[in-house]
């Protein structure tokens, strides 16, 4: 037997083949002129936009460069969030969300906002490589500049739906009073525009199945909950006396109080007036219906949207918390460079008053056993099984982006 059978079956490449580098099979189109990377991104403006105040004062401090870069990166990401947020609000405002093919676009962009916020939360770790003493070396050069003066972050809060009346005053002033001229006008205009919260509320109010003369989800749910609570009470009472029986009855009464309060519209309106709830009574019903029937094809994407909205709220809360922790680490109890109380002011913004979609978090309060959830009729089940799409002529070239 001569030769190597493996070599005959899989011949080794010749020297000429080995010397030929296929990775270089291409053409340098940029050599022919036209748009190039640096020009497209206008890198000359971005890379040369770091002006160290310490250097201008003749005392160049190394870590001021990191401080500037980090904050510029935040502002660029804020701009992208506003870009995505405005596009989503436009879809809702123009009624395009009624075509359910657009819901995937909405969910995708809201999820993108959440992913950007996650990145911004994690970005604090880079800033925290700078010590308090490193920051102290150049902090006085920043006065009276302050992070509170970030116009884009205030616009972001307004457009998502942070209530103006629940904002913490800044040095006993309305937050907008700290902005002048065009910036003040932009903030005022953003307060008058429909917020994402309002648009989502209106969308939830149109949830199919809420109609009293149709499926009547809310009416059926109330009947089932009342029956379920009575059955549980009867079951506990039928048991012989034992040590935990009284505790079980007390727990049942607590559950009854929580679940029956859900159907008290006047109580809901009272909580709305206090700012403890943010969406209308009917919108709450729609959200809970989506929550309970999330496995139905027509509710799967809406359920993803509700989850992503909670992600945004949670991540913005984490961002505020990380900011508070970092400020305390860097300046302790000192006043902020803009004149605020610093850490004390930031800590006061950590409450639920800055949560926009707090009602979605609280849906878990009203969870019930699955067999208490109203069974879908054949007609509503068929309706929820098929998504609603409009004719392709519904779209203009701009709307299809």
């Amino acid at each position: 037997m001569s030769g190597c059978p493996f070599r005959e079956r899989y011949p080794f490449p010749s020297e000429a083949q080995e010397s030929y580098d296929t990775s270089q099979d291409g053409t340098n189109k940029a050599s022919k002129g036209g748009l190039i990377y640096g020009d497209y991104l206008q890198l000359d403006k971005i890379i040369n936009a770091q002006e160290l105040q310490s250097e201008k004062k003749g005392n160049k401090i190394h870590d001021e460069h990191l401080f500037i870069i980090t904050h510029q990166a935040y502002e660029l990401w804020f701009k992208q969030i506003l870009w995505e947020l405005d596009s989503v609000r436009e879809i809702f405002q123009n009624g395009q969300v009624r075509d359910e093919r657009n819901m995937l676009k909405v969910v995708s962009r809201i999820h993108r906002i959440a992913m950007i916020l996650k990145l911004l939360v994690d970005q604090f770790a880079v800033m925290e490589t700078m010590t308090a003493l490193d920051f102290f070396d150049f902090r006085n050069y920043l006065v009276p500049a302050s992070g509170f003066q970030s116009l884009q972050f205030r616009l972001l809060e307004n457009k998502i739906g942070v209530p103006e009346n629940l904002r913490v005053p800044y040095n006993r002033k309305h937050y907008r009073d700290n902005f002048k001229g065009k910036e003040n006008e932009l903030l005022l205009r953003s307060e008058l525009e429909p917020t994402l919260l309002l648009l989502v509320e209106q969308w939830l109010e149109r949830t199919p199945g809420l109609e009293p003369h149709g499926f009547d989800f809310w009416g059926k749910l109330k009947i089932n909950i009342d029956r379920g609570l009575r059955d549980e009470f009867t079951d506990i009472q039928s048991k012989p006396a034992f040590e935990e029986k009284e505790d079980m009855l007390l727990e049942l009464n607590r559950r009854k109080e929580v679940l029956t309060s859900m159907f008290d519209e006047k109580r809901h309106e009272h909580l709305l007036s206090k700012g403890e709830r943010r969406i209308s009574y009917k919108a709450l019903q729609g959200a809970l219906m989506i929550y309970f029937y999330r496995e139905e094809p027509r509710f799967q994407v809406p359920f993803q949207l509700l989850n992503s909205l909670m992600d945004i709220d949670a991540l913005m809360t984490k961002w505020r918390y990380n900011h508070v922790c970092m400020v305390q680490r860097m300046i302790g109890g000192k006043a902020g460079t803009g004149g605020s109380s610093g850490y004390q002011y930031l800590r006061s913004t950590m409450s639920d008053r800055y949560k926009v979609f707090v009602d979605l978090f609280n849906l878990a309060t009203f969870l019930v056993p699955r067999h208490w959830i109203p069974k879908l009729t054949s007609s509503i089940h068929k309706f929820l099984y098929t998504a609603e799409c409009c004719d392709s002529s519904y779209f203009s070239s701009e709307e299809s982006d």
Side-chain angles (χ1 to χ4, degrees), residues 45-104:
K45 295 180 181 178
I46 296 174
I47 292 176
N48 293 299
Q50 294 76 45
E51 189 176 75
L52 277 66
Q53 293 300 305
S54 60
E55 186 175 18
K56 287 178 68 177
K57 301 291 170 52
N59 182 30
K60 183 178 178 180
I61 304 298
H62 177 84
D63 278 9
E64 188 182 356
H65 193 274
L66 171 67
F67 187 84
I68 294 173
I69 288 284
T70 304
H71 284 79
Q72 287 177 337
Y74 273 125
E75 291 296 333
L76 282 172
W77 282 122
F78 290 158
K79 184 174 184 179
Q80 185 63 35
I81 290 174
L82 288 169
W83 178 264
E84 303 296 346
L85 182 56
D86 284 343
S87 73
V88 168
R89 291 192 308 137
E90 185 178 356
I91 290 173
F92 275 105
Q93 284 180 269
N94 292 345
Q96 297 170 34
V97 77
R98 291 177 184 272
D99 185 315
E100 294 178 19
R101 290 175 296 188
N102 280 317
M103 282 305 299
L104 187 60

Side-chain angles (χ1 to χ4, degrees), residues 111-204:
H111 178 66
R112 183 179 296 165
I113 291 173
M115 290 300 98
I116 293 172
L117 287 170
K118 186 176 187 301
L119 179 68
L120 299 187
V121 168
D122 293 340
Q123 191 168 289
F124 278 103
V126 180
M127 183 83 83
E128 288 169 351
T129 61
M130 177 174 62
T131 68
L133 186 58
D134 295 331
F135 182 48
F136 184 78
D137 287 340
F138 66 88
R139 182 173 182 260
N140 285 340
Y141 296 126
L142 310 181
V143 177
S146 164
F148 183 86
Q149 298 156 7
S150 170
L151 172 66
Q152 291 194 119
F153 190 74
R154 302 305 155 203
L155 288 171
L156 170 59
E157 289 178 323
N158 287 348
K159 292 184 178 190
I160 288 179
V162 172
E164 181 190 358
N165 63 323
L166 293 182
R167 282 182 176 275
V168 178
Y170 185 78
N171 291 347
R172 298 184 177 83
K173 289 183 179 180
H174 189 280
Y175 87 99
R176 205 184 332 110
D177 292 342
N178 294 275
F179 296 85
K180 306 299 179 186
K182 187 178 179 181
E183 290 188 346
N184 187 286
E185 292 174 11
L186 284 171
L187 287 168
L188 178 59
R189 193 184 312 157
S190 69
E191 290 173 12
L192 301 176
E193 295 172 357
T195 65
L196 180 62
L197 174 65
L198 174 63
L199 295 166
V200 168
E201 176 188 63
Q202 293 171 347
W203 167 72
L204 285 171

